[in-house]
Amino acid sequence: MAGLELLSDQGYRVDGRRAGELRKIQARMGVFAQADGSAYIEQGNTKALAVVYGPHEIRGSRSRALPDRALVNCQYSSATFSTGERKRRPHGDRKSCEMGLQLRQTFEAAILTQLHPRSQIDIYVQVLQADGGTYAACVNAATLAVLDAGIPMRDFVCACSAGFVDGTALADLSHVEEAAGGPQLALALLPASGQIALLEMDARLHEDHLEWVLEAAAQAARDVHTLLDRVVRQHVHEASIMLGD
Amino acid sequence: MLKSKTFLKKTRTGGVLKIVREHYLRDDIGCGAPGCAECGGAHGGPALEPQPQDQASSLWPRPHYLLPDTNVLLHQIDVLEDPAIRNVIVLQTVLQEVRNRSAPVYKRIRDVTNNQEKHFYTFTNEHHRETYVEQEQGENANDRNDRAIRVAAKWYNEHLKKMSAENQLQVVFITNDRKNKEKAVEEGIPAFTCEEYIKSLTANPELIDRLACLSEEGNEIESGKIIFSEHLALSKLQQGIKSGVYLQGTFRASRENYLEATVWIHGDTEDNKEIIVQGLKHLNRAVHEDVVAVELLPKSQWVAPSSVVLQDEGQNEDDVEREEEREHMLKTAINEKMLKPTGRVVGIIKRNWRPYCGMLSKSDIKESRRHLFTPADKRIPRIRIETRQASALEGRRIIVAIDGWPRNSRYPNGHFVKNLGDVGEKETETEVLLLEHDVPHQPFSQAVLSFLPKMPWSITENDMKNREDLRHLCVCSVDPPGCTDIDDALHCRELKNGNLEVGVHIADVSHFIRPGNALDQESARRGTTVYLCEKRIDMVPELLSSNLCSLRCDVDRLAFSCIWEMSHNAEILKTRFTKSVINSKASLTYAEAQMRIDSATMNDDITTSLRGLNKLAKILKKGRIEKGALTLSSPEVRFHMDSETHDPIDLQTKELRETNSMVEEFMLLANISVAKKIHEEFSEHALLRKHPAPPPSNYEILVKAAKSKNLEIKTDTAKSLADSLDRAESPAFPYLNTLLRILATRCMMQAVYFCSGMDNDFHHYGLASPIYTHFTSPIRRYADIIVHRLLAVAIGADCTYPELTDKHKLADICKNLNFRHKMAQYAQRASVAFHTQLFFKSKGIVSEEAYILFVRKNAIVVLIPKYGLEGTVFFEEKDKPKPQLIYDDETPSLKVEGMEFHVFDKVKVKIMLDSSNLQHQKIRMALVEPQIPGISVPDEISNVDVNEPEEKRRKLKK
């Protein structure tokens, strides 16, 4: 058996997308009433839930408080049923810790933390179903949740992954494409300014190709922004109707 | 933009894992027909013709496109590749199935699809909104795919109707599956089997022969009798091999005896390395080179390899009984000791069939359409093919592919692929020898050519990045006359500090051939340019080899330069490498360069440069020989071709001038410098070339032969060998030294490419260099391209890529290169042999002086210096009384009827062409002097009939 052909001669990917196309994105804000902010996102078969509490007083040890800005605390976990094989530990493993750290870095760059000194913002993200691009889905969900909580941000943070196959950059990799073992890059972008909040890649990729892959990821992130913006407007619109009653 | 409207899930359960995949359906996939308003031409690349006219099928006279199913593609690719078949829609479903089932066919179909003239279009039906079908409950994958193909065919027909109702364009579905065809017809899709359709193409009757005969009905003429036992299933074989009941090995048929073969067992078990398989039933339809599973027979049934020569001559299918008689013949005179492990083939693990060259043996029945084909390689069984053009194919070389070998058939079934031309024709024979030596020689495909630079080509600003401008230097090239692929040029000038600057400039092929593209892959596959007597099989397309990469004079060319600063004593003071642009001032031949150096009147820049080079080269050569480099000799000949007929008219041994060795010396120096550099930079994955020292036993012949002439040859080191060869002179016998050197060449091992990370012995024995590589001929050797890339990365002039620094990939490349080089060498020799035959055919029988090179038990091998021709004189022949032969292994010598032969003895032989076997013509030699009654033939000025030397000689002997 020959392996899967990731990109056909006609330019179609395994699931029928073209190189630069995203998977179908659906999102909803304000899914939980108790939390300050919450959101749910589906990017193809990758599904993530984000919940935000805060800003509130520092919990636990007071010494952690920062004098000039808010502390961003991120926790990532993925459901035991999120992958094909059942996972043993839903959170606390190295991968989850790393993901939490990356999310924290991303949001420290995006949230205007200096507005809330000596306080704390908690972001909890859970992946319900993983089909590639979990980091991107988490970031996008968390952005919506933070917006829902009304915490001031510089801009949306929109994330997307990109890979490189046969000389072509592919946007928004699915699990099959990730599993094929090529290089994969994750990018979190502040679309208005074009600033990069986080860029992560742990494979070997030639310097000459980096530019294309980066551009593919950035374009995809801008596309994500268009969609998220629509979701937020829709949500606000609905909320204002409710208030109007 | 996300265009998907429907969103479906495709679930695939395998084991306990449940994999959920998205499957997007689109509405922007074009149908491939140009001018289709609905799709708006939403497809780039090759497309169908708007009005397919030329395929006049009597079954479907209206214009149509073809839509084959998977099996048609898999089995009838030979037909589909024919230029007459155009406008074919290849569905994604079909392509994926082909991809999973046969990689070679997949590659071929991709090549065809990329060919603009074929008008093949790949339709991505699995992602089209209207042609996607879901697997139904209880439907297996095959049925689902068949249905998907039918749905696509139906969609096409409706779609094309919408496009333009009046020209009645339709697709015709081609399938060999009866049920599928019936269903298609029910659904209103015009469907035919491949055979029906091809037969209906009245304009192209020759296509029928290219059909693979797979149809069950085709075999009805075979007697229903089952000859062979069934092959076991693969799973059973694997089980058996694991448990040790069966052994896996490569099947090697015997050249002499078609009823016998050996199986080389894979693995390390020392005892049963080789198993004999004897008899038609035990051979059980295995073909040479197949990987088979064998079962050992009980010891009581073991046999000894027979010495009988048997050729398969049967024309009839039914004479299996006679075969059994013959098999009994093999078992005569069995010596207990000679018994070897014997087995029988129980199953085939992997067929290694390829298209075979050979000739048609026409059936005795005049009207018969079934004929037997006799391959040129005697190890391949005869193949039954079906053709209507038997009389046209008689006396021609043809190519035939095997389709299958049913249990009830004495011979495998095959189909005709290609007609190469008349036997004995130069083009035909060249083609045959290229095919038999597996030399890829097809014209470069469109995909490969698409990576060539666009003409007119000029050096751009971008090319100059990381490149030095050396156009002001007085560079010139020195090559053999008529050379169009000039890959090296030289310069030499005096520096202000009194030292000399010497530069070797090599064509920068790696600038044009970028890693990983089709052009690169094709060159890597070819590995080397093959030079035949009157033809050159290029490794890279001609535009590069003879134009853009060729360092011709008076044009700007990109080069890779290796520049040394040397003292006047040829000591290297500094070495540097750089990519450059040069402008060669002169393309000289060896003779012209020699003339310039020798003439006292010429004192221009080029000449002084050449003199400087020549001076340095002499010092370098001396130094190299002192270190123990060998100067060996091989009788190389060149044919003088008739300019009109291109027939060889005369032979000439190659002349060596000072300038030859001048160029060679600097190439060696460049290679060594580069080898050092890349090994320093990439200790794990440098591509190098080594020449292992031969084991002492190899030299035995040489030492013994020299001893018989009272000379001593020392072989403990390369240095002592070189020295003793230099001393071995005999004033009475000036040719002796050359003969000794020729013999020494035969003792050597083959030099090979290897990856530095996979080996730790780098020594090059022949050149007495601790490290060596190939850098100087990138136009004709792929190894040099890799070395160029490595060096470019090492000096920061180019970027690296993952495969370059993967030592396993590099080792694979080396393996292929070594194989291709070996094959190229064999092909070259075969070409020389063929031209020698042509030469002697025109020349008639001649007698020449020769020297004995080797003495064998029943023959002597002689060398004729005048032609550089080597041949064997046999003293034993079929149907004749054996002469008295006494062989002495020590001296070595052979006594024939009281006449003793030693190595290096001078004899006189008669040379003639033996064309008794049309497929295998050869040069035959017979002894003239010294005269031995009953053995030697009289010397006569002969104008005898060349075509029947056999007859002639028999008459003489009476």
Side-chain angles (χ1 to χ4, degrees), chain B residues 280-312:
Chain B
L280 204 57
K281 278 180 192 165
H282 287 172
L283 294 175
N284 202 357
R285 293 172 281 161
V287 178
H288 183 65
E289 295 271 273
D290 284 351
V291 180
V292 297
V294 285
E295 181 187 38
L296 273 181
L297 295 174
K299 263 202 173 138
S300 57
Q301 291 180 38
W302 283 15
V303 296
S306 69
S307 51
V308 191
V309 177
L310 267 188
Q311 268 187 25
D312 189 4

Side-chain angles (χ1 to χ4, degrees), chain B residues 14-31:
Chain B
V16 276
L17 258 184
K18 182 171 174 190
I19 296 167
V20 182
R21 272 189 207 161
E22 285 178 291
H23 193 94
Y24 289 92
L25 300 184
R26 321 178 59 105
D27 54 7
D28 64 344
I29 299 174
C31 67

Side-chain angles (χ1 to χ4, degrees), chain B residues 647-664:
Chain B
D647 281 331
I649 19 180
D650 201 1
L651 291 134
Q652 183 195 35
T653 39
K654 268 185 196 165
E655 235 180 296
L656 286 178
R657 290 193 178 81
E658 240 175 25
T659 41
N660 286 51
S661 90
M662 175 187 93
V663 173
E664 191 192 338

